[in-house]
């Protein structure tokens, strides 16, 4: 078995003490009037965060608790949370962060299990896949209230004109791709193979990898993405560009946004990525006239006979351990994570009843995936997205993941540019194993 690095771990006694300190959300908000909760969110005019801020006035009216939102540039977010956590100043009560930052920041976050137990708050309201990204050492450290699953988006008019159905398997995707490239002037699909970019080129790759029964690590944290199934999956992924030639020629240098733009400009007929882009493709003026309002979606294709496996990315909300307003912060966490709050926020956006800067389709609650009102307004987006969350896996939760990701991401980029798949994959696996051995993972 692998040995977890001790750098970020706390003793059981310390965890219990910190979890109990400040606990008491069940005492109600009547004793908290006049307190102020500060919430760190990323800058960038994110509709969901803007909607939280706008609707926090209702929370203040109900509880007397004020809420102050503080914007932090995304590139500074990890350093800012780390600095706050080490200093113990307690500037922020609540913080949002990208899930891949979780292994690094969880030591600064208050475990929420005792709060939930006292208030009969059920974490099962969230899909297992997204809640997993908020869980460390069997304790929940944040709420995955902003979550995205992968879907496959496609041009409905192109598929209808050619008489082809949305692909359910990678074989069907390849066959559809050949039909598209032979009968139109479009590329079939816009992947994104460029290295870097926080490992963006790994998300579609892992859907190939997982659906073929392989994984990144085994139970002993030994790399296995270079197994027979892993190499087969990787070869198939890069062959969209290298061998089959159905991918956009520019995809070798595309990041996610570049590939999305390529699709929005009408240059390709399929795109795999996060479900939030549904509204961007169908409602935004940035999409071409022939694209806007003409994009369908389905679950990510899977390996023949083995099923589909999506990826999940979350931007959860956590409570800082050094917060001096933990009870008030917990009250606000409960408020914005109620299914009805989320449903109303998204319905108002879809029905045009909220300002454009508060537009969001981000649903994270299991019970809302099959809600009739939401799916009628969103063309069954949430039902299909719920299926994707249900069959999803997640990236490893280890502090070394950024370094591991860089190694694999760089290898994918090299293979898309023509490097031999088996040799390059084996070299990447050896480099990852050496990194983890140096970090003390193997006895």
């Amino acid at each position: 078995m692998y040995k977890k690095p001790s750098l970020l771990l706390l003793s059981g006694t310390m965890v219990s003490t910190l979890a109990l300190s400040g606990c008491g959300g069940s005492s109600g908000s009547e004793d908290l009037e006049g307190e102020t909760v500060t919430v760190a969110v990323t800058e960038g005019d994110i509709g969901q965060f803007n909607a939280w801020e706008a609707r926090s006035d209702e929370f203040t009216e109900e509880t007397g608790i004020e809420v102050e939102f503080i914007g932090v540039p995304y590139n500074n977010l990890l350093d800012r949370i780390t600095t706050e956590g080490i200093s113990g100043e307690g500037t922020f009560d609540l913080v949002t962060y990208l899930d891949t930052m979780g292994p690094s920041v969880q030591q600064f976050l208050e475990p929420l299990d005792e709060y939930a137990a006292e208030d009969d708050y059920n974490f099962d309201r969230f899909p297992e896949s997204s809640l997993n990204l908020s869980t460390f050492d069997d304790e929940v450290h944040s709420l995955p209230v902003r979550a995205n699953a992968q879907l496959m988006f496609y041009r409905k008019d192109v598929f209808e004109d050619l008489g082809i159905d949305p692909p359910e398997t990678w074989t069907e995707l390849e066959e559809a791709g050949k039909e598209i490239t032979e009968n139109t002037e479009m590329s079939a699909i816009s992947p994104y193979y460029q290295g870097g970019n926080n490992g963006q080129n790994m998300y579609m790759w892992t859907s190939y990898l997982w659906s073929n029964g392989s994984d990144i690590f085994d139970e002993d944290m030994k790399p296995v993405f270079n197994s027979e199934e892993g190499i087969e999956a990787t070869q198939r992924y890069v062959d969209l560009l290298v061998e089959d030639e159905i991918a956009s020629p520019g995809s070798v240098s595309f990041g996610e946004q570049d590939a999305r733009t390529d699709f929005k400009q009408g240059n390709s007929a399929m795109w795999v990525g996060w479900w939030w882009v549904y509204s961007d493709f169908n409602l935004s003026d940035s999409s071409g006239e022939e694209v806007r309002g003409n994009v369908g979606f389905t679950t990510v294709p899977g390996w023949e006979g083995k099923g589909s496996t999506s990826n999940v990315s979350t931007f959860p909300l956590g409570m800082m351990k050094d917060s001096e307003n933990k009870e008030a912060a917990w009250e606000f966490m409960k408020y914005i994570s109620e299914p009805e709050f989320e449903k109303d926020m998204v319905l108002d956006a879809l029905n045009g009843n909220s300002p454009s800067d508060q537009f969001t389709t981000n649903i994270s609650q299991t019970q809302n995936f099959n809600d009739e009102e939401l799916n009628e307004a969103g063309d069954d987006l949430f039902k299909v997205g719920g299926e994707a969350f249900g069959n999803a896996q997640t990236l490893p939760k280890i502090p070394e993941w950024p370094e591991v990701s860089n190694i694999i991401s760089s290898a994918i980029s090299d293979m898309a540019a023509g490097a031999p798949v088996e040799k390059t994959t084996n070299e990447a696996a050896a480099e990852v194993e050496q990194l983890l051995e140096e970090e003390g993972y193997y006895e």
Side-chain angles (χ1 to χ4, degrees):
M1 296 291 290
Y2 78 93
K3 177 174 72 71
K4 292 183 180 179
S6 60
L7 176 62
L8 299 180
L9 300 182
L10 295 171
S11 70
T13 301
M14 185 178 293
V15 169
S16 299
T17 302
L18 288 168
L20 287 167
S21 66
C23 235
S26 61
S27 64
S29 59
E30 62 271 12
D31 301 327
L32 306 174
E33 186 172 354
E35 291 196 15
T36 298
V37 174
T38 57
V39 186
V41 295
T42 53
E43 294 178 344
D45 206 26
I46 298 173
Q48 184 179 9
F49 296 160
N50 291 340
W52 287 357
E53 183 170 8
R55 292 167 184 255
S56 66
D57 290 342
E58 301 171 7
F59 172 76
T60 300
E61 290 177 9
E62 291 182 16
T63 64
I65 301 169
E66 300 285 342
V67 184
E68 179 185 359
F69 285 78
I70 301 173
V72 179
Y74 173 77
N75 289 337
N76 298 339
L77 186 60
L78 177 57
D79 288 343
R80 187 71 185 273
I81 296 173
T82 301
T83 299
E84 293 289 332
I86 292 173
S87 70
E89 291 180 358
T91 304
F92 303 134
D93 298 303
L94 299 173
V95 294
T96 58
Y97 63 93
L98 183 63
D99 54 46
T100 54
M101 301 176 185
S104 298
V105 305
Q106 59 94 9
Q107 60 181 319
F108 307 124
L109 300 180
E110 179 86 349
L112 302 175
D113 298 77
E114 302 245 356
Y115 294 84
E118 289 201 15
D119 277 354
D120 198 24
Y121 180 99
N122 191 350
F123 291 128
D124 288 345
R125 69 186 62 199
F126 301 106
E128 182 180 351
S129 56
S130 55
L131 187 64
N132 174 57
L133 292 169
S134 289
T135 305
F136 299 90
D137 301 322
D138 297 323
E139 291 185 300
V140 176
H141 285 69
S142 57
L143 302 181
V145 285
R146 180 174 174 81
N148 284 283
Q150 281 178 310
L151 295 179
M152 200 202 79
F153 296 87
Y154 63 94
R155 284 281 298 277
K156 292 188 289 186
D157 57 336
V158 175
F159 276 67
E160 290 171 2
D161 289 346
L162 296 176
I164 52 180
D165 295 322
E168 296 182 359
T169 66
W170 299 120
T171 294
E172 291 177 1
L173 183 148
E174 292 154 8
E175 292 172 346
K178 291 175 183 176
E179 287 286 327
I180 292 164
T181 54
E182 290 174 2
N183 294 286
T184 75
E185 296 182 357
M186 306 172 70
S187 297
I189 189 168
S190 288
Y192 28 102
Y193 294 111
Q194 185 186 62
N197 299 304
N198 293 314
Q200 289 176 353
N201 64 0
M202 295 182 59
Y203 288 106
M204 189 171 173
W205 169 71
T206 51
S207 288
Y208 274 85
L209 184 77
W210 291 331
S211 69
N212 197 29
S214 188
D215 208 338
I216 298 175
F217 296 116
D218 64 14
E219 62 180 9
D220 297 321
M221 291 300 291
K222 294 279 188 166
V224 291
F225 58 86
N226 63 328
S227 65
E228 180 180 348
E229 294 82 5
I231 290 173
E232 182 182 26
T234 304
Q235 184 74 62
R236 198 169 190 180
Y237 173 51
V238 301
D239 274 351
L240 294 173
L241 174 67
V242 175
E243 182 68 26
D244 300 330
E245 297 183 343
I246 62 174
S248 174
S251 59
V252 67
S253 60
F254 281 171
E256 180 187 354
Q257 184 173 347
D258 303 312
R260 193 166 69 242
T261 299
D262 190 69
F263 180 87
K264 288 166 68 173
Q265 292 175 344
N267 297 325
S268 57
M270 291 182 283
W271 186 82
V272 173
W274 306 121
W275 73 333
W276 70 265
V277 302
Y278 162 80
S279 58
D280 191 36
F281 288 156
N282 284 303
L283 302 174
S284 172
D285 290 339
S286 62
S287 288
E289 185 176 346
E290 73 278 17
V291 176
R292 190 166 55 250
N294 197 21
V295 177
F297 51 85
T298 186
T299 52
V300 175
W303 211 273
E304 299 72 25
K306 298 183 180 181
S308 168
T309 308
S310 178
N311 213 313
V312 170
S313 176
T314 66
F315 218 94
L317 180 69
M319 183 194 305
M320 294 293 286
K321 278 183 177 173
D322 292 313
S323 166
E324 296 181 358
N325 306 296
K326 291 177 182 176
E327 293 181 20
W330 174 241
E331 290 298 320
F332 186 66
M333 295 180 85
K334 290 190 298 181
Y335 184 80
I336 65 168
S337 63
E338 279 301 311
E340 284 299 318
F341 175 91
E342 178 181 75
K343 175 182 174 178
D344 290 345
M345 182 174 61
V346 173
L347 269 182
D348 281 351
L350 291 172
N351 293 330
N353 296 326
S354 59
S356 59
D357 67 344
Q358 296 177 32
F359 188 93
T360 177
T361 57
N362 207 290
I363 291 293
S364 64
Q365 315 271 337
T366 301
Q367 79 173 56
N368 283 334
F369 290 143
N370 292 312
D371 184 88
E372 291 185 7
E373 284 186 277
L374 282 168
N375 281 294
E376 182 177 355
D379 299 327
D380 283 340
L381 174 68
F382 310 108
K383 179 180 179 181
V384 176
E387 294 177 20
F389 277 105
N391 66 25
Q393 290 185 223
T394 57
L395 297 175
K397 298 180 299 180
I398 58 174
E400 295 79 15
W401 178 248
E403 294 96 328
V404 172
S405 173
N406 283 339
I407 293 169
I408 301 175
S409 177
S410 178
I412 291 171
S413 181
D414 290 343
M415 288 183 283
V421 169
E422 184 171 0
K423 179 176 182 291
T424 306
T425 304
N426 282 329
E427 289 173 348
E431 189 174 353
V432 169
E433 185 169 353
Q434 181 179 348
L435 169 67
L436 295 191
E437 184 171 12
E438 291 173 353
E439 294 296 328
Y441 275 77
Y442 312 127
E443 294 181 350

